[in-house]
Amino acid sequence: MAKLQTLYLFSYNFLQFLGWTLALFRILSNFISTNSVTGVYASAGELICLLQCCAFLEVIHGAIGIVPTGVVLPLMQWSGRTHFLLAIVRQIVELQESPSVFITFSAWSLSEVS
């Protein structure tokens, strides 16, 4: 059973790594090609929404005990990011072109990849 959990966690983390690497690539490609911080949501927003929704599994991992982190801290991080992303940025089109979205997406991508 421990081998199966290890394989699952490796696969989950590897797929998240690949997704966030792709998101970072899209963010940087958009920045380089347009020489602007706008358009980041259009280039990487839907992927980041998907990755962030999938990150709820980290809460489940702690809840069922396959990682020792517990539930509270992963839930706080997930809910804060998800609220900002889905309830605010995704709903307010004008905000999607804001430099704060570029900064936030870049910081999230860098922190998830490193």
Side-chain angles (χ1 to χ4, degrees):
M1 186 68 161
K3 271 189 161 183
L4 187 59
Q5 286 180 352
T6 302
L7 178 63
Y8 164 74
L9 287 174
F10 176 81
S11 300
Y12 168 77
N13 285 314
F14 184 70
L15 289 172
Q16 283 281 23
F17 171 79
L18 288 177
W20 284 105
T21 301
L22 178 58
L24 183 59
F25 176 77
R26 287 182 178 182
I27 291 166
L28 294 176
S29 294
N30 181 71
F31 177 71
I32 291 167
S33 66
T34 63
N35 202 23
S36 172
V37 295
T38 61
V40 169
Y41 187 85
S43 64
E46 292 303 313
L47 175 59
I48 290 176
C49 286
L50 174 66
L51 292 167
Q52 190 54 44
C53 288
C54 290
F56 186 73
L57 288 171
E58 294 175 22
V59 178
I60 303 298
H61 297 159
I64 63 176
I66 63 173
V67 294
T69 58
V71 176
V72 176
L73 293 178
L75 180 62
M76 288 172 56
Q77 179 180 1
W78 178 83
S79 61
R81 281 186 175 192
T82 304
H83 178 261
F84 172 76
L85 186 59
L86 299 180
I88 299 172
V89 176
R90 197 166 193 213
Q91 301 303 318
I92 304 172
V93 177
E94 298 84 15
L95 185 59
Q96 294 172 5
E97 297 298 317
S98 170
S100 64
V101 173
F102 172 80
I103 293 167
T104 302
F105 283 10
S106 298
W108 287 356
S109 298
L110 286 169
S111 69
E112 295 294 337
V113 168
S114 59

